Amino acid sequence: MRPQLDLCPGRVILAIGAAGLGSAGTGVAEADIAGAAAVPDAVQASTLTLSSLPGVDDALGIVPGGALAPLAAPAPAPAPAAAREPGAAISAWTLRRNLLVGGTVSVAGTLRPAAPGRQVGLQERRGSGWMTVTSASTSRFGQYRLGFRPPAPGSLALRVRFAGDRISGPATTPLGVINVYRRAGASWYRGGGPLACGGTLTDSRLGVAHKTLPCGTMVALHLGNRTVRVPVIDRGPYVSGRDYDLTPATKRALGFGDTGEVWATR
């Protein structure tokens, strides 16, 4: 059996013998062509508008009632998700590791892969954990800047932390120790007598005397471009306006004179 096609603009008529597709001995029904006689009742016709015709390469299937229709196209495969980098690479640096209280710790660096809006945090060691003290977003080149103003003197262990996102996993880089100082009056002393915290004072003993800090407390002292970190080993000084007495070895390490001002973390 051969289907006949009405090619009039806007419609196509497929005529199929009533006996069904592929039935032997079935005659071909005439199609309605430009006002010709109607299709006999024994013939089932399926009409498809041109706007709904399948493409040349589309397959035709049979739908209930004998009509032909394009087979449903398989659903497109979902686009693969963007690959996530296993980890990020982060750099950090600061030009000031010694500053007076009230000053700002400024940190700059780069996060790779580079993308805008990725969150980077500056963290301070607190006991056995880390606390984020400030954060910033990266530029489209992966650059960032962080600024933190410590509220009190002390030696701070800092690091820069990226927690990870949809682009890549987490990354951390240590920044090291930042010393935040207050101004303190100082003098020095010598002698071979006993120390309040135990032992004997010698010219090679590093340490300081302080009136109230517990024995063994570590204090960072800064003068010019020199910094020393020494323990409290004695009591004193007992002169108004002076916070520390330096041992001879501490005096030499700092390049300190007889009396004056130093920066101290305690």
Side-chain angles (χ1 to χ4, degrees):
M1 181 196 74
R2 296 174 56 194
Q4 298 183 11
L5 303 181
D6 180 355
L7 300 182
C8 292
R11 63 195 299 245
V12 172
I13 299 177
L14 303 180
I16 305 172
L21 291 174
S23 299
T26 301
V28 178
E30 295 181 354
D32 180 6
I33 303 177
V39 178
D41 293 338
V43 177
Q44 297 179 5
S46 175
T47 303
L48 303 176
T49 61
L50 289 178
S51 61
S52 64
L53 282 177
V56 174
D57 295 331
D58 290 343
L60 291 178
I62 301 175
V63 298
L68 298 182
L71 293 176
R84 186 173 188 256
E85 297 285 342
I90 190 167
S91 64
W93 61 89
T94 181
L95 297 179
R96 299 179 63 192
R97 294 190 174 274
N98 298 285
L99 66 152
L100 284 171
V101 65
T104 300
V105 178
S106 298
V107 181
T110 304
L111 177 66
R112 294 284 187 261
R118 309 183 79 190
Q119 290 296 305
V120 176
L122 179 64
Q123 297 185 328
E124 178 188 348
R125 184 68 178 259
R126 300 279 180 89
S128 59
W130 294 87
M131 174 177 287
T132 300
V133 294
T134 189
S135 61
S137 298
T138 58
S139 70
R140 64 192 181 99
F141 301 109
Q143 299 168 331
Y144 66 88
R145 287 188 177 275
L146 297 161
F148 169 55
R149 182 172 294 176
S155 295
L156 313 179
L158 301 176
R159 73 179 187 179
V160 177
R161 170 76 173 168
F162 169 66
D165 58 13
R166 62 182 179 80
I167 300 176
S168 59
T172 304
T173 187
L175 195 62
V177 174
I178 302 296
N179 293 312
V180 183
Y181 302 96
R182 67 178 181 88
R183 300 181 187 275
S187 55
W188 72 286
Y189 72 117
R190 68 173 61 175
L195 297 168
C197 298
T200 301
L201 179 61
T202 65
D203 284 347
S204 61
R205 182 79 180 263
L206 286 169
V208 293
H210 190 273
K211 290 186 287 289
T212 59
L213 287 175
C215 291
T217 300
M218 299 301 295
V219 180
L221 302 174
H222 182 75
L223 182 64
N225 60 356
R226 299 186 183 187
T227 302
V228 296
R229 189 173 176 83
V230 295
V232 173
I233 61 174
D234 204 359
R235 293 299 174 215
Y238 298 102
V239 176
S240 177
R242 298 183 190 176
D243 301 287
Y244 292 97
D245 256 344
L246 315 182
T247 66
T250 304
K251 175 183 183 297
R252 291 193 301 270
L254 274 180
F256 184 72
D258 291 332
T259 60
E261 183 181 86
V262 296
W263 292 5
T265 56
R266 301 298 296 267

